[in-house]
Amino acid sequence: PYKAHQGAIAIAPPFEYAGLHEVLARRRTDRRLLAVVLDHVTDPHNLGAIIRTAECVGADFVVIPDRRAAGVNATVRKTAAGAAEHLPIVRVSNIAQTLREFKKAAIWVAGADAADDAAEFTKADLGSDLALVIGAEGEGLAQLVRRECDFLVKIPLFGRVASLNASVAAAV
C-alpha cells in the first residue's frame, strides 16, 4: 500500500509556474536561447524526464499546455530529480499562439515529427535561438501546432520499432 519513498519525505508548496513574458524578458544575449515546448504530453514520467534532460543540457525553460497534458505534480518532481526546482516551467493556454509569440521574438520553431518532409535533425540548422516542440506519444504534433513550426526535424530510426517515447525523443 505504501509507495517507495527512499527514506525521505518533503512538504512543499504547490508548484509555481513561470510566466512566458517573464522568461522571455530574462533572455540572455551571450548565448542562444533553447526552449522545449511540449504539445499535450500526458505522462508525468515523460514530463519529469524531459524537464530533467532540458535542465541538464542548459535549456532556458519548458512550456506545457494547461489542458490535456501533465502538470507538475509529485511524480513529475520526483522523476525530474530536482530539475523542476531550477528550470522555469511555463504553462500556457494555447501552444500555437505561444509559437507565434516566439516567432515575433525572433525565436525559430522546430517541430519534432517523423514525417517524410522533416529533415534529419543532424542536418538541420539548429544554431539560432530555438524552440523545440515535442508532440504527444502516438499522436505527435497537433496539426495547428505543426503548421506554426518554421521547420520539422526527425530522428533517423534504423530498428524495427517505429518510434521513440516523448522523453527519449526530446533527449536525443
Side-chain angles (χ1 to χ4, degrees):
Y2 294 105
K3 293 185 177 186
H5 54 73
Q6 298 176 331
I9 186 167
I11 298 173
F15 186 80
E16 281 193 45
Y17 293 96
L20 181 61
H21 297 291
E22 168 193 331
V23 295
L24 289 176
R26 291 194 314 237
R27 191 171 174 182
R28 295 176 54 176
T29 57
D30 60 331
R31 65 178 180 86
R32 69 183 183 105
L33 176 134
L34 175 60
V36 178
V37 181
L38 305 180
D39 184 24
H40 297 105
V41 171
T42 58
D43 183 329
H45 292 97
N46 275 339
L47 176 57
I50 291 168
I51 291 168
R52 184 176 183 173
T53 299
E55 199 283 327
C56 286
V57 301
D60 294 278
F61 56 92
V62 170
V63 176
I64 61 174
D66 62 6
R67 293 178 318 219
R68 298 188 319 264
V72 178
N73 60 23
T75 301
V76 171
R77 285 178 159 182
K78 182 176 180 181
T79 306
E85 308 310 317
H86 301 291
L87 182 67
I89 301 167
V90 177
R91 204 168 195 189
V92 298
S93 60
N94 188 309
I95 293 291
Q97 176 60 39
T98 300
L99 299 181
R100 287 190 286 275
E101 289 188 43
F102 285 159
K103 290 194 268 187
K104 288 178 190 173
I107 299 168
W108 286 88
V109 178
D113 194 291
D116 290 338
D117 60 337
E120 288 189 17
F121 82 95
T122 57
K123 298 175 181 166
D125 181 4
L126 304 175
S128 303
D129 288 346
L130 184 72
L132 174 63
V133 187
I134 304 292
E137 281 189 49
E139 301 168 28
L141 299 175
Q143 204 56 249
L144 182 58
V145 169
R146 189 179 195 275
R147 280 196 301 266
E148 290 298 332
C149 294
D150 293 309
F151 58 97
L152 300 174
V153 293
K154 65 182 170 186
I155 300 167
L157 300 175
F158 302 101
R160 293 185 183 129
V161 177
S163 67
L164 299 169
N165 78 15
S167 64
V168 173
V172 171

